[in-house]
Amino acid sequence: SHFSGIVRLCLLVGPLSAIVNNTPVTAMMVPVLEGWCSRMGFDVAKFGIPLAFSAQLGGGLTLMGSPTNFAARKTYLQMGYHVGFFEFTIVAAPLYLLGVVFFAILAPRMLGEKSKPPTMTRQVSAEESDGYFRIGFRISRGAFARGNLKVDQAGFDRMPGV
């Protein structure tokens, strides 16, 4: 189920981003997540936000996990306080666990299905008149370009020879 999938994802990504900066953790987990969702039959669109947010919350668990924590440490040192590696954990751990529960319950309901790419089929005929060549496309219902799309709106006018 999506619930257990999101919990497993968060329990992997959060602690990992506590010891490695959260940005590279998110970047390296995207292809892993896509492959896992494909194997399990899950929609990857329901897991992207929980991945990024659990990495962000997990990054707050230790001094190493987030650049913001290093900035806070520097400020505390200037004020005469020492900040240890696990100093943030006591505050961040309950917030992280609360975030995992929140993602697991609400993300499958709040995040939509992955949209399918629009399909276009080539129109059989093309015509030339007065030196202009006209080509038409059929665009499926619900596609982003449905309606009258002009050449300059599509960016074709910037192509040489068009």
Side-chain angles (χ1 to χ4, degrees):
S1 72
H2 283 97
F3 179 86
S4 66
I6 290 174
V7 169
R8 286 184 284 166
L9 174 70
C10 291
L11 292 178
L12 169 70
V13 171
L16 184 59
S17 67
I19 57 172
V20 178
N21 192 313
N22 54 21
T23 304
V25 167
T26 303
M28 79 176 182
M29 286 301 294
V30 168
V32 173
L33 178 65
E34 288 174 339
W36 180 70
C37 285
S38 176
R39 277 193 322 276
M40 299 299 289
F42 290 144
D43 185 6
V44 74
K46 293 192 184 289
F47 289 85
I49 296 293
L51 167 67
F53 285 2
S54 64
Q56 183 67 33
L57 288 172
L61 292 171
T62 63
L63 184 62
M64 179 69 93
S66 175
T68 308
N69 296 352
F70 279 115
R73 179 180 183 264
K74 183 178 178 183
T75 302
Y76 280 122
L77 285 174
Q78 290 172 347
M79 295 170 55
Y81 297 106
H82 174 73
V83 178
F85 189 78
F86 292 105
E87 209 66 37
F88 298 112
T89 307
I90 198 159
V91 175
L95 295 175
Y96 168 74
L97 294 173
L98 186 64
V100 170
V101 171
F102 176 81
F103 298 142
I105 293 171
L106 294 180
R109 292 172 179 84
M110 293 175 66
L111 300 174
E113 299 294 320
K114 185 177 178 183
S115 63
K116 297 193 175 24
T119 56
M120 293 194 281
T121 56
R122 190 174 49 207
Q123 187 173 341
V124 181
S125 64
E127 58 189 62
E128 181 181 358
S129 76
D130 297 331
Y132 292 99
F133 193 70
R134 182 177 180 159
I135 300 174
F137 293 94
R138 293 179 195 260
I139 301 175
S140 62
R141 266 187 209 280
F144 68 94
R146 184 96 176 135
N148 293 326
L149 186 65
K150 306 283 189 249
V151 170
D152 58 339
Q153 293 171 323
F156 292 126
D157 61 334
R158 294 184 293 265
M159 297 173 67
V162 176

